[in-house]
Amino acid sequence: MFHPKSVTLATVLALFAIGALSWEAHRDYRHAEVQLPAIARMEKTRADIVHFDEVLTMSARMAAATGNPAWEARYRRFEPRLDEAIKEAMRLDPDGLQGSAAAKTHAANVALVAMEHRAFEMVRRGETGEAQRLLSAAEYEGYKGIYAAGMTEFNRRLSQASGSMRSQREANMRRSAIATTARAVFLILGASYVFVLVRRWQAFIVERNRQLSDKSAALTEMNDQLDRKVSQRTNELTEAVRQHKLTAEHAEFLAYNDSLTLLPNRSMFSKLLNQSVSLAQREGKQLAVLFVDLDRFKNVNDTLGHEAGDLLLQEMAARLKSCLRATDCVARLGGDEFVLMAPSLNGTEQLAALAHKILGAVARPFTLRDHEFHVTASVGISVYPSDGDDERTLMKNADIAMYQAKEEGKNTFAFYCAELNTHTLERLAFESSLRRALEGQQFRVHYQPKVDCKTGHIIGVEALLRWKHPDFGPVPPSKFIPVAEENGLIVPIGRWVLETACRQHVSWREMGLPPLRMAVNLSARQFYHEALLSDVRSILAETGMAPAFLELEITESMLMRDAGKASEVLRAFKTLGIRLSLDDFGTGYSSLSNLKRFPIDTIKVDRSFVRELPSNAEDRAITDAVIAMGKTLNMTIVAEGVETQGQIEFLRDHACDEFQGYYFSKAVPATTITDLLAAQPRTNPHGTLAVWDVKSEFADSAFAMAS
Ligand SMILES: Nc1nc2c(ncn2[C@@H]2O[C@H](COP(=O)(O)O[C@H]3[C@@H](O)[C@H](n4cnc5c(=O)[nH]c(N)nc54)O[C@@H]3COP(=O)(O)O)[C@@H](O)[C@H]2O)c(=O)[nH]1
């Protein structure tokens, strides 16, 4: 309601007023205190005068009456006291003794004293009667009366003075009481105010301290945080510097060493070989280079995984090192290729002995995950100066010799000889152009239609890879697929085919064309590759291809290589909703029991059985049996390599489901399939062979295009 400052001001003013009042009243009280003895003295003086006067009068009269000198002595004792009392009274009221009344009183008193003195002399002379008469004479009484009247007046004045002084004192005392109360109020109020002030000051100090302590805590926390950040950052920087150093050291190490085996790498080996060639040149000595390639290492990698492959390589590196002398050197060039340099060996025999030692070391059993493996190597040897006088030539010729060793059946070694060169170089050139084909976009996928036996409609296609070499033109798959399979390139190539086929299928669907089954071939290497499933999954996800339209074609021989693993992979595909087709059926270990073991949807009768239909009785029987077997297991039967009307009729009569072959079309580019699908009647109510009806028109053109 009131502003705190107003309250404070009012309180201070009130305290000031009360203090002033209290101070004033206190002065009155002090004054009254001073008055009190004066009043007391006045009253005592009054009493003394009366009393001493009576004592003197009585002593004089008694002396006169008795003649006893004791009374005179008593008189003499009290006489000065009366004088003293009268002087005191005059001091207390000097005015009262001025004037004629005072003079008369004084004179009367002097006369009385004189008469009394005379009376004493008389007594001493024994004239007591004379003395009595003197003291009862009229003169004596007259003076007594004057003196008494004067004294009465004097008493009245003193009494008046003391009375007024007393009432003044009482007033002072009352004011003093007020002062005491005021002082009490002042003290209480003042104390309360001071208490309130002190409490407020305390609260202020506490609040200030709290804020300061909060600020201090916040500052401490900030300081701590800063300390922590600084220390963390310092650690990070120290770690970064350490890591940087390590990385730099590691990078330097990796620049010249192989990270897996820690052996020198290709560039380090080149340097060392260069130096050794120069030395051999100066000293007129020989120098051998041994190229070592593990046989079928890629199979280990693909079937057991890269981890196992890495362990194998590390073990092989250690074994190769153990074959060397102190002056020799071994390096890993990459993959499963190692190279050794032996400057200290002379002659073919010593080199052959080293090659044998290497082959023996590599061939020792290798145990991995409780399984024993046997790996072999092929070794190619070139010798300075006969097979080359520089590092590059020696390396190239050792490589060629190594290919020769492989050609000779692997697990062996071969010395370089110039005649080898042409053949091996061709093979190397072919391999390297195959490696470049994928990057160089030299591959295409063509599609061969599969036709429904009853309607003649195209109900599916098989994706077939085509390679057009920039210099040599089209290369048949039968030539490059086995090489790609051998060197492992089939894995990335096969992935590309699958992705291309899936994209094409989605594109046809987006054009509104009828859905086809898209068959894609898998090679053995691909099938057992650890990344196959994840590759298929991601390709389906990336392209948006519906798995139900994808059919993966595999061969019986592939399945029989590792039936357990194969069954696992096939079931995983089935879980994804992908169809599975068994290619080249009848050429391998075809049996009903095998067929039942695997979740196969389609079997393809190999074209070798179709070729001589219907004339060849054996092919007729086989084809009949294969179709019957497939039907028993509710599988779709596709006949491959259908080229003649006779084959069609035989197959249709034996309840084959689909045809694939040149009779209808070779594998053609996607655009041709687009045209064929667009021209194809959507329905065929009569169940006639619609495609044959138009066969001559489109099949010829398709054939022409494919050719
Ligand atoms: N792993 C992969 N293998 C593939 C891929 N692309 C092809 N191949 C395999 O290469 C082999 C040769 O194939 P290709 O030269 O394409 O021959 C196919 C057809 O053109 C041929 N064919 C079809 N109809 C007839 C016919 O009426 N007569 C006749 N003489 N030949 C015909 O058959 C091959 C298809 O055979 P198949 O795969 O067994 O169905 C071949 O083994 C291909 O599999 C690929 O991308 N990956």
Side-chain angles (χ1 to χ4, degrees), residues 448 462-466 477-478 481 490 497 521-523 526 553 583-584 604 607 640-643 660-662:
Q448 185 175 35
E462 178 180 355
L464 291 161
L465 182 62
R466 297 290 177 258
S478 52
I481 292 224
I490 193 67
V497 172
N521 287 285
L522 289 185
S523 78
Q526 249 182 306
E553 291 197 5
D583 207 356
D584 307 340
K604 292 181 82 175
R607 67 170 176 274
E640 289 186 287
V642 176
E643 294 183 358
Q660 180 182 348
Y662 293 170

Side-chain angles (χ1 to χ4, degrees), residues 212-226:
L212 281 174
S213 124
D214 283 357
K215 276 185 187 160
S216 155
L219 276 173
T220 311
E221 177 55 26
M222 273 170 64
N223 202 29
D224 289 352
Q225 273 181 9
L226 202 65

